Amino acid sequence: MGLKIYSPTRGFLTVEYLGRVYNARFFLCSKKSRDLDSELQALGLTPELPVALIPVKLVENDLQLIQGVVHYFVNRGLLTRIRHEGLLLAMLITGFKQIKDLLSSLREAYSETDKYLLVSATQAYNRPVNCIDYPLSNIDFSRSITGNVKNVTVILDLL
């Protein structure tokens, strides 16, 4: 079997692809800091850690989150130009093609909302105290096509 995606429990996503199993976690968090950089530092995020902070304002639906994570797992070996794993994951989720545009939108959206999603493409990152497990909703593909196409364009440009 080529690709199997499912959510075994609240906040978890499992991706099975060509005999390999990948796990991701999703958290809904409340801001603790006024600015994005302070929040990232408090969360202990480093460039080699595939964890992305995405303000809720930048996500249209859960399909966008799932697709970004799947693209990360399937294509990360081919995407070597971007060395910051969290930013790569954020690009694949949000659909931004340029890191500069992504960072600008992340900062602006972070300042405009009290909640953000923390997406972890590693099991080595535990839930922060200001976060809860984020339940992935049932996906309606007919309503999710816009975010779906946008993210496919990004992955094709990066490859």
Side-chain angles (χ1 to χ4, degrees):
M1 172 157 223
L3 179 66
K4 185 176 179 185
I5 303 165
Y6 56 94
S7 180
T9 60
R10 180 183 173 113
F12 284 87
L13 183 75
T14 298
V15 177
E16 296 179 13
Y17 179 67
L18 297 178
R20 295 187 128 158
V21 178
Y22 304 99
N23 293 294
R25 293 199 63 190
F26 298 86
F27 308 106
L28 179 62
C29 307
S30 299
K31 287 188 340 186
K32 291 174 73 177
S33 303
R34 295 183 63 87
D35 67 283
L36 180 63
D37 294 321
S38 298
E39 191 80 20
L40 292 170
Q41 188 174 21
L43 292 167
L45 301 185
T46 60
E48 58 278 348
L49 196 60
V51 179
L53 185 155
I54 312 286
V56 293
K57 185 176 183 174
L58 295 180
V59 177
E60 291 181 32
N61 54 56
D62 289 350
L63 176 62
Q64 189 176 347
L65 295 169
I66 293 166
Q67 184 181 13
V69 169
V70 170
H71 281 309
Y72 177 82
F73 287 140
V74 171
N75 298 300
R76 69 179 169 195
L78 301 171
L79 303 172
T80 57
R81 291 185 296 167
I82 301 169
R83 298 197 196 316
H84 194 296
E85 298 295 318
L87 287 179
L88 173 60
L89 183 57
M91 287 177 74
L92 295 172
I93 291 170
T94 61
F96 286 96
K97 296 179 184 178
Q98 299 292 324
I99 291 178
K100 179 182 124 186
D101 295 338
L102 170 67
L103 290 172
S104 175
S105 292
L106 287 175
R107 290 181 200 292
E108 182 180 329
Y110 181 85
S111 69
E112 295 173 356
T113 185
D114 291 333
K115 301 276 185 193
Y116 62 87
L117 293 163
L118 202 56
V119 180
S120 172
T122 176
Q123 289 186 334
Y125 191 78
N126 294 319
R127 180 170 43 93
V129 295
N130 61 315
C131 302
I132 61 170
D133 289 328
Y134 177 74
L136 295 166
S137 62
N138 291 329
I139 304 300
D140 179 355
F141 288 93
S142 64
R143 300 181 78 194
S144 305
I145 193 68
T146 304
N148 193 20
V149 171
K150 180 178 166 185
N151 287 354
V152 170
T153 302
V154 170
I155 193 69
L156 291 175
D157 285 348
L158 291 173
L159 292 173

